[in-house]
Amino acid sequence: MHKFIIERHIPGIEKLSPKEYCEGAGKSNEVLEQMGKGIQWLESYVAPDRIFCVYLAENEGQIKEHAERSGFPATHVHKVTGMLDPTTAQG
């Protein structure tokens, strides 16, 4: 599977309540369960008017299908081609 970063433009997302976040996560999980193997949500980061989600998937089509079925837009989908962290400098 490949790692993807999904940017979702959702105005006001940072103002949602914990209950609303819970409901959104539940909807996402429900769709993932229906889709079966080959796609996995790892985590998401909330910023003003945006949410950045990290997924594992076999292909970008699965990411777009999940977005359509869950109702959460996939404004930009980026396939991760590498990773850097502080240990990269020790190379």
Side-chain angles (χ1 to χ4, degrees):
M1 290 203 298
H2 305 282
K3 188 176 279 188
F4 291 90
I5 306 293
I6 301 102
E7 178 182 349
R8 304 181 192 281
H9 181 248
I10 305 172
I13 187 74
E14 75 281 5
K15 298 173 186 169
L16 295 182
S17 70
K19 180 181 179 193
E20 290 169 311
Y21 285 136
C22 182
E23 290 168 355
K27 176 63 176 174
S28 180
N29 288 338
E30 180 183 307
V31 172
L32 288 168
E33 187 175 319
Q34 293 168 0
M35 290 179 69
K37 295 182 181 183
I39 184 168
Q40 180 184 356
W41 174 29
L42 298 179
E43 58 196 353
S44 295
Y45 301 92
V46 178
D49 298 325
R50 304 271 188 289
I51 187 165
F52 296 89
C53 303
V54 182
Y55 276 70
L56 296 177
E58 293 174 357
N59 57 64
E60 187 175 331
Q62 289 174 304
I63 300 295
K64 291 180 178 181
E65 178 184 348
H66 175 269
E68 185 177 318
R69 291 173 61 178
S70 67
F72 301 119
T75 310
H76 298 285
V77 178
H78 303 278
K79 183 178 176 183
V80 175
T81 59
M83 189 186 94
L84 303 173
D85 67 24
T87 64
T88 304
Q90 299 171 359

PDB file of all heavy atoms in Angstrom, residues 57-78:
ATOM      1  N   ALA A  57      -3.339   3.375   1.169  1.00  0.00           N
ATOM      2  CA  ALA A  57      -4.275   2.845   0.176  1.00  0.00           C
ATOM      3  C   ALA A  57      -3.482   2.234  -0.970  1.00  0.00           C
ATOM      4  O   ALA A  57      -2.312   2.559  -1.180  1.00  0.00           O
ATOM      5  CB  ALA A  57      -5.196   3.941  -0.346  1.00  0.00           C
ATOM      6  N   GLU A  58      -4.150   1.366  -1.696  1.00  0.00           N
ATOM      7  CA  GLU A  58      -3.515   0.733  -2.850  1.00  0.00           C
ATOM      8  C   GLU A  58      -3.380   1.711  -4.010  1.00  0.00           C
ATOM      9  O   GLU A  58      -2.444   1.614  -4.795  1.00  0.00           O
ATOM     10  CB  GLU A  58      -4.298  -0.502  -3.261  1.00  0.00           C
ATOM     11  CG  GLU A  58      -4.231  -1.601  -2.211  1.00  0.00           C
ATOM     12  CD  GLU A  58      -5.110  -2.795  -2.506  1.00  0.00           C
ATOM     13  OE1 GLU A  58      -5.848  -2.777  -3.516  1.00  0.00           O
ATOM     14  OE2 GLU A  58      -5.050  -3.754  -1.729  1.00  0.00           O
ATOM     15  N   ASN A  59      -4.304   2.688  -4.100  1.00  0.00           N
ATOM     16  CA  ASN A  59      -4.237   3.644  -5.204  1.00  0.00           C
ATOM     17  C   ASN A  59      -5.055   4.890  -4.871  1.00  0.00           C
ATOM     18  O   ASN A  59      -5.865   4.893  -3.941  1.00  0.00           O
ATOM     19  CB  ASN A  59      -4.719   3.010  -6.516  1.00  0.00           C
ATOM     20  CG  ASN A  59      -6.125   2.470  -6.401  1.00  0.00           C
ATOM     21  OD1 ASN A  59      -7.084   3.225  -6.198  1.00  0.00           O
ATOM     22  ND2 ASN A  59      -6.270   1.159  -6.517  1.00  0.00           N
ATOM     23  N   GLU A  60      -4.856   5.940  -5.656  1.00  0.00           N
ATOM     24  CA  GLU A  60      -5.537   7.205  -5.439  1.00  0.00           C
ATOM     25  C   GLU A  60      -7.044   7.087  -5.658  1.00  0.00           C
ATOM     26  O   GLU A  60      -7.832   7.793  -5.030  1.00  0.00           O
ATOM     27  CB  GLU A  60      -4.959   8.267  -6.379  1.00  0.00           C
ATOM     28  CG  GLU A  60      -5.482   9.654  -6.135  1.00  0.00           C
ATOM     29  CD  GLU A  60      -4.812  10.709  -6.976  1.00  0.00           C
ATOM     30  OE1 GLU A  60      -3.625  10.528  -7.332  1.00  0.00           O
ATOM     31  OE2 GLU A  60      -5.460  11.731  -7.260  1.00  0.00           O
ATOM     32  N   GLY A  61      -7.448   6.184  -6.526  1.00  0.00           N
ATOM     33  CA  GLY A  61      -8.874   5.980  -6.770  1.00  0.00           C
ATOM     34  C   GLY A  61      -9.632   5.612  -5.511  1.00  0.00           C
ATOM     35  O   GLY A  61     -10.774   6.040  -5.320  1.00  0.00           O
ATOM     36  N   GLN A  62      -9.016   4.820  -4.657  1.00  0.00           N
ATOM     37  CA  GLN A  62      -9.667   4.456  -3.395  1.00  0.00           C
ATOM     38  C   GLN A  62      -9.850   5.679  -2.499  1.00  0.00           C
ATOM     39  O   GLN A  62     -10.866   5.796  -1.819  1.00  0.00           O
ATOM     40  CB  GLN A  62      -8.838   3.397  -2.663  1.00  0.00           C
ATOM     41  CG  GLN A  62      -8.872   2.050  -3.334  1.00  0.00           C
ATOM     42  CD  GLN A  62      -7.927   1.101  -2.645  1.00  0.00           C
ATOM     43  OE1 GLN A  62      -6.739   1.380  -2.507  1.00  0.00           O
ATOM     44  NE2 GLN A  62      -8.466  -0.029  -2.214  1.00  0.00           N
ATOM     45  N   ILE A  63      -8.870   6.565  -2.503  1.00  0.00           N
ATOM     46  CA  ILE A  63      -8.966   7.785  -1.703  1.00  0.00           C
ATOM     47  C   ILE A  63     -10.148   8.618  -2.195  1.00  0.00           C
ATOM     48  O   ILE A  63     -10.967   9.098  -1.411  1.00  0.00           O
ATOM     49  CB  ILE A  63      -7.662   8.605  -1.796  1.00  0.00           C
ATOM     50  CG1 ILE A  63      -6.458   7.803  -1.283  1.00  0.00           C
ATOM     51  CG2 ILE A  63      -7.805   9.946  -1.089  1.00  0.00           C
ATOM     52  CD1 ILE A  63      -6.470   7.442   0.177  1.00  0.00           C
ATOM     53  N   LYS A  64     -10.253   8.759  -3.508  1.00  0.00           N
ATOM     54  CA  LYS A  64     -11.343   9.551  -4.088  1.00  0.00           C
ATOM     55  C   LYS A  64     -12.694   8.895  -3.866  1.00  0.00           C
ATOM     56  O   LYS A  64     -13.690   9.578  -3.600  1.00  0.00           O
ATOM     57  CB  LYS A  64     -11.068   9.782  -5.565  1.00  0.00           C
ATOM     58  CG  LYS A  64      -9.889  10.718  -5.770  1.00  0.00           C
ATOM     59  CD  LYS A  64      -9.597  10.954  -7.234  1.00  0.00           C
ATOM     60  CE  LYS A  64      -8.445  11.939  -7.376  1.00  0.00           C
ATOM     61  NZ  LYS A  64      -8.131  12.226  -8.774  1.00  0.00           N
ATOM     62  N   GLU A  65     -12.744   7.573  -3.941  1.00  0.00           N
ATOM     63  CA  GLU A  65     -14.004   6.863  -3.679  1.00  0.00           C
ATOM     64  C   GLU A  65     -14.439   7.080  -2.238  1.00  0.00           C
ATOM     65  O   GLU A  65     -15.611   7.335  -1.953  1.00  0.00           O
ATOM     66  CB  GLU A  65     -13.852   5.368  -3.962  1.00  0.00           C
ATOM     67  CG  GLU A  65     -15.103   4.583  -3.659  1.00  0.00           C
ATOM     68  CD  GLU A  65     -14.946   3.077  -3.850  1.00  0.00           C
ATOM     69  OE1 GLU A  65     -13.938   2.625  -4.424  1.00  0.00           O
ATOM     70  OE2 GLU A  65     -15.859   2.351  -3.403  1.00  0.00           O
ATOM     71  N   HIS A  66     -13.494   6.966  -1.304  1.00  0.00           N
ATOM     72  CA  HIS A  66     -13.825   7.184   0.106  1.00  0.00           C
ATOM     73  C   HIS A  66     -14.358   8.599   0.317  1.00  0.00           C
ATOM     74  O   HIS A  66     -15.341   8.802   1.023  1.00  0.00           O
ATOM     75  CB  HIS A  66     -12.605   6.939   0.994  1.00  0.00           C
ATOM     76  CG  HIS A  66     -12.855   7.251   2.436  1.00  0.00           C
ATOM     77  ND1 HIS A  66     -12.604   8.490   2.972  1.00  0.00           N
ATOM     78  CD2 HIS A  66     -13.373   6.491   3.436  1.00  0.00           C
ATOM     79  CE1 HIS A  66     -12.946   8.483   4.249  1.00  0.00           C
ATOM     80  NE2 HIS A  66     -13.414   7.287   4.559  1.00  0.00           N
ATOM     81  N   ALA A  67     -13.718   9.587  -0.318  1.00  0.00           N
ATOM     82  CA  ALA A  67     -14.160  10.974  -0.179  1.00  0.00           C
ATOM     83  C   ALA A  67     -15.588  11.142  -0.685  1.00  0.00           C
ATOM     84  O   ALA A  67     -16.420  11.782  -0.031  1.00  0.00           O
ATOM     85  CB  ALA A  67     -13.216  11.899  -0.937  1.00  0.00           C
ATOM     86  N   GLU A  68     -15.872  10.557  -1.823  1.00  0.00           N
ATOM     87  CA  GLU A  68     -17.212  10.672  -2.404  1.00  0.00           C
ATOM     88  C   GLU A  68     -18.264   9.990  -1.534  1.00  0.00           C
ATOM     89  O   GLU A  68     -19.322  10.559  -1.255  1.00  0.00           O
ATOM     90  CB  GLU A  68     -17.221  10.061  -3.802  1.00  0.00           C
ATOM     91  CG  GLU A  68     -18.543  10.246  -4.523  1.00  0.00           C
ATOM     92  CD  GLU A  68     -18.511   9.692  -5.934  1.00  0.00           C
ATOM     93  OE1 GLU A  68     -17.502   9.889  -6.632  1.00  0.00           O
ATOM     94  OE2 GLU A  68     -19.497   9.045  -6.320  1.00  0.00           O
ATOM     95  N   ARG A  69     -17.948   8.796  -1.081  1.00  0.00           N
ATOM     96  CA  ARG A  69     -18.924   8.029  -0.302  1.00  0.00           C
ATOM     97  C   ARG A  69     -19.129   8.584   1.100  1.00  0.00           C
ATOM     98  O   ARG A  69     -20.225   8.494   1.654  1.00  0.00           O
ATOM     99  CB  ARG A  69     -18.505   6.557  -0.235  1.00  0.00           C
ATOM    100  CG  ARG A  69     -18.623   5.872  -1.597  1.00  0.00           C
ATOM    101  CD  ARG A  69     -18.076   4.477  -1.603  1.00  0.00           C
ATOM    102  NE  ARG A  69     -18.775   3.593  -0.683  1.00  0.00           N
ATOM    103  CZ  ARG A  69     -18.497   2.297  -0.546  1.00  0.00           C
ATOM    104  NH1 ARG A  69     -17.552   1.733  -1.275  1.00  0.00           N
ATOM    105  NH2 ARG A  69     -19.164   1.573   0.312  1.00  0.00           N
ATOM    106  N   SER A  70     -18.077   9.168   1.684  1.00  0.00           N
ATOM    107  CA  SER A  70     -18.184   9.684   3.049  1.00  0.00           C
ATOM    108  C   SER A  70     -18.730  11.113   3.088  1.00  0.00           C
ATOM    109  O   SER A  70     -19.182  11.573   4.126  1.00  0.00           O
ATOM    110  CB  SER A  70     -16.821   9.636   3.748  1.00  0.00           C
ATOM    111  OG  SER A  70     -15.921  10.548   3.133  1.00  0.00           O
ATOM    112  N   GLY A  71     -18.619  11.822   1.959  1.00  0.00           N
ATOM    113  CA  GLY A  71     -19.076  13.202   1.922  1.00  0.00           C
ATOM    114  C   GLY A  71     -18.017  14.201   2.350  1.00  0.00           C
ATOM    115  O   GLY A  71     -18.295  15.391   2.492  1.00  0.00           O
ATOM    116  N   PHE A  72     -16.777  13.734   2.545  1.00  0.00           N
ATOM    117  CA  PHE A  72     -15.674  14.614   2.919  1.00  0.00           C
ATOM    118  C   PHE A  72     -14.823  14.877   1.680  1.00  0.00           C
ATOM    119  O   PHE A  72     -14.258  13.943   1.115  1.00  0.00           O
ATOM    120  CB  PHE A  72     -14.817  13.990   4.026  1.00  0.00           C
ATOM    121  CG  PHE A  72     -15.591  13.679   5.272  1.00  0.00           C
ATOM    122  CD1 PHE A  72     -15.697  12.378   5.733  1.00  0.00           C
ATOM    123  CD2 PHE A  72     -16.223  14.684   5.984  1.00  0.00           C
ATOM    124  CE1 PHE A  72     -16.408  12.091   6.883  1.00  0.00           C
ATOM    125  CE2 PHE A  72     -16.945  14.406   7.132  1.00  0.00           C
ATOM    126  CZ  PHE A  72     -17.038  13.099   7.589  1.00  0.00           C
ATOM    127  N   PRO A  73     -14.715  16.130   1.227  1.00  0.00           N
ATOM    128  CA  PRO A  73     -14.008  16.414  -0.020  1.00  0.00           C
ATOM    129  C   PRO A  73     -12.527  16.057   0.042  1.00  0.00           C
ATOM    130  O   PRO A  73     -11.899  16.182   1.092  1.00  0.00           O
ATOM    131  CB  PRO A  73     -14.185  17.927  -0.180  1.00  0.00           C
ATOM    132  CG  PRO A  73     -14.332  18.429   1.222  1.00  0.00           C
ATOM    133  CD  PRO A  73     -15.110  17.342   1.937  1.00  0.00           C
ATOM    134  N   ALA A  74     -12.008  15.588  -1.058  1.00  0.00           N
ATOM    135  CA  ALA A  74     -10.566  15.373  -1.203  1.00  0.00           C
ATOM    136  C   ALA A  74     -10.075  16.469  -2.143  1.00  0.00           C
ATOM    137  O   ALA A  74      -9.951  16.272  -3.346  1.00  0.00           O
ATOM    138  CB  ALA A  74     -10.271  13.992  -1.747  1.00  0.00           C
ATOM    139  N   THR A  75      -9.841  17.658  -1.582  1.00  0.00           N
ATOM    140  CA  THR A  75      -9.479  18.831  -2.372  1.00  0.00           C
ATOM    141  C   THR A  75      -8.171  18.601  -3.122  1.00  0.00           C
ATOM    142  O   THR A  75      -8.060  18.917  -4.299  1.00  0.00           O
ATOM    143  CB  THR A  75      -9.372  20.066  -1.466  1.00  0.00           C
ATOM    144  OG1 THR A  75     -10.561  20.158  -0.668  1.00  0.00           O
ATOM    145  CG2 THR A  75      -9.208  21.335  -2.273  1.00  0.00           C
ATOM    146  N   HIS A  76      -7.197  18.041  -2.424  1.00  0.00           N
ATOM    147  CA  HIS A  76      -5.909  17.688  -3.036  1.00  0.00           C
ATOM    148  C   HIS A  76      -5.474  16.343  -2.455  1.00  0.00           C
ATOM    149  O   HIS A  76      -5.555  16.131  -1.246  1.00  0.00           O
ATOM    150  CB  HIS A  76      -4.830  18.732  -2.740  1.00  0.00           C
ATOM    151  CG  HIS A  76      -5.134  20.082  -3.280  1.00  0.00           C
ATOM    152  ND1 HIS A  76      -5.021  20.399  -4.613  1.00  0.00           N
ATOM    153  CD2 HIS A  76      -5.557  21.209  -2.666  1.00  0.00           C
ATOM    154  CE1 HIS A  76      -5.360  21.665  -4.792  1.00  0.00           C
ATOM    155  NE2 HIS A  76      -5.704  22.179  -3.613  1.00  0.00           N
ATOM    156  N   VAL A  77      -5.007  15.459  -3.316  1.00  0.00           N
ATOM    157  CA  VAL A  77      -4.497  14.157  -2.894  1.00  0.00           C
ATOM    158  C   VAL A  77      -3.040  14.070  -3.340  1.00  0.00           C
ATOM    159  O   VAL A  77      -2.730  14.276  -4.518  1.00  0.00           O
ATOM    160  CB  VAL A  77      -5.308  12.999  -3.520  1.00  0.00           C
ATOM    161  CG1 VAL A  77      -4.734  11.658  -3.105  1.00  0.00           C
ATOM    162  CG2 VAL A  77      -6.777  13.102  -3.137  1.00  0.00           C
ATOM    163  N   HIS A  78      -2.161  13.775  -2.393  1.00  0.00           N
ATOM    164  CA  HIS A  78      -0.732  13.687  -2.689  1.00  0.00           C
ATOM    165  C   HIS A  78      -0.213  12.323  -2.265  1.00  0.00           C
ATOM    166  O   HIS A  78      -0.357  11.928  -1.108  1.00  0.00           O
ATOM    167  CB  HIS A  78       0.054  14.758  -1.927  1.00  0.00           C
ATOM    168  CG  HIS A  78      -0.416  16.153  -2.197  1.00  0.00           C
ATOM    169  ND1 HIS A  78      -0.029  16.862  -3.297  1.00  0.00           N
ATOM    170  CD2 HIS A  78      -1.268  16.948  -1.503  1.00  0.00           C
ATOM    171  CE1 HIS A  78      -0.611  18.054  -3.271  1.00  0.00           C
ATOM    172  NE2 HIS A  78      -1.370  18.130  -2.192  1.00  0.00           N
TER     173      HIS A  78
END
